[in-house]
């Protein structure tokens, strides 16, 4: 009888957990926050194929052997999408990610950091400065003026005007997030239902 009561209580607990909201972890959750560490982490733990990164905070270029990190990352993720949300600020590392992306989506009021000549040389040697579908060289547009030692940025609208990306539809981005939440919640629901079936059979067997 005690065993049956235990299984019944566990059954109810799992049933109620179907209605607990499920949050979606971002692709970079748990990864280092420096440029090289982040790219290495994503290359190691994400499956090969498409990947979307939203730059929620500035990311600076650097860390341990950034060129090696870029090469490893590009070998794994050629179909990269990078999004810069409204009010976003890329940082120099975020700009490098933007350059590597096959799909660039920016808010017009985002700020894109321009890159020092040494950074651009690194990217050219790695083949990152490839011409996009519009025939534009991202490294030329997003290179800083070498005669100006101060940090330099370019508004997202200027990047869009240079045909280096597409406007970020905030409504579409929100819908993508909702779809991901629903997909994860649905998957969790299926898993719990399978557990319920196993427990139900266990209670029946004990009877």
């Amino acid at each position: 009888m005690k065993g049956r009561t235990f299984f019944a209580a566990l059954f109810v607990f799992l049933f109620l957990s179907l209605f607990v909201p499920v949050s979606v972890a971002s692709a970079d959750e748990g990864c280092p926050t420096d440029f090289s560490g982040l790219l290495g982490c994503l290359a190691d733990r994400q499956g090969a194929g498409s990947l979307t990164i939203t730059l929620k905070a500035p990311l600076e270029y650097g860390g341990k052997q950034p060129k090696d990190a870029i090469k490893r990352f590009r070998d794994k993720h050629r179909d990269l999408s990078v999004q810069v949300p409204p009010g976003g600020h890329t940082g120099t590392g975020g700009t490098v990610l933007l350059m590597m992306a096959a799909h660039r989506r920016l808010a017009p009021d985002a700020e894109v950091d321009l890159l020092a000549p040494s950074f651009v040389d690194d990217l050219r040697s790695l083949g990152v400065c490839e011409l996009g579908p519009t025939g534009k060289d991202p490294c030329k547009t997003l290179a800083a003026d070498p005669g100006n030692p101060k940090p330099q940025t370019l508004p997202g609208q200027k990047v869009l005007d240079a045909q280096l990306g597409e406007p970020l539809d905030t409504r579409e981005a929100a819908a993508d997030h909702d779809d991901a939440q629903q997909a994860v919640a649905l998957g969790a629901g299926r898993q719990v239902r399978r557990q319920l079936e196993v427990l139900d059979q266990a209670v029946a067997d004990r009877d």
Side-chain angles (χ1 to χ4, degrees):
M1 183 67 180
K2 288 183 180 180
R4 183 173 182 178
T5 302
F6 169 78
F7 280 116
L10 189 57
F11 184 97
V12 172
F13 171 78
L14 290 172
F15 178 78
L16 291 175
S17 70
L18 285 171
F19 302 97
V20 176
V22 178
S23 61
V24 179
S26 60
D28 59 352
E29 185 174 346
C31 286
T33 56
D34 67 287
F35 178 83
S36 296
L38 174 63
L39 265 62
C41 175
L42 291 175
D44 288 339
R45 87 176 190 188
Q46 295 290 324
S50 61
L51 177 68
T52 298
I53 295 177
T54 300
L55 296 171
K56 300 177 182 177
L59 175 68
E60 297 305 322
Y61 181 71
K64 185 178 180 180
Q65 300 178 322
K67 290 179 65 175
D68 289 346
I70 289 173
K71 187 177 184 306
R72 285 180 57 211
F73 182 84
R74 293 189 82 214
D75 288 344
K76 194 81 170 285
H77 298 294
R78 286 285 177 170
D79 189 17
L80 172 66
S81 298
V82 173
Q83 301 181 152
V84 190
H89 186 182
T90 62
T92 53
T95 300
V96 173
L97 283 175
L98 202 61
M99 289 179 170
M100 290 193 291
H103 313 284
R104 310 179 187 112
R105 302 166 71 192
L106 308 89
D109 66 342
E111 289 291 327
V112 179
D113 285 73
L114 301 184
L115 301 180
S118 60
F119 295 174
V120 175
D121 290 343
D122 284 352
L123 300 180
R124 288 198 184 281
S125 69
L126 292 168
V128 174
C129 301
E130 298 167 347
L131 300 182
T134 59
K136 304 294 181 179
D137 178 355
C139 290
K140 183 176 181 180
T141 302
L142 299 177
D145 178 2
N148 184 355
K150 296 182 178 180
Q152 301 167 53
T153 63
L154 199 64
Q157 185 60 58
K158 293 287 187 180
V159 178
L160 296 173
D161 292 344
Q163 300 181 330
L164 290 176
E166 300 177 352
L168 175 65
D169 186 336
T170 53
R171 291 172 301 176
E172 181 181 343
D176 290 345
H177 177 74
D178 291 343
D179 288 345
Q181 281 189 320
Q182 292 171 7
V184 173
L186 184 59
R190 291 196 186 104
Q191 183 177 5
V192 172
R193 279 193 288 273
R194 286 195 295 268
Q195 292 172 338
L196 289 175
E197 291 170 358
V198 171
L199 287 172
D200 192 29
Q201 184 61 47
V203 171
D205 292 343
R206 291 180 70 88
D207 290 344

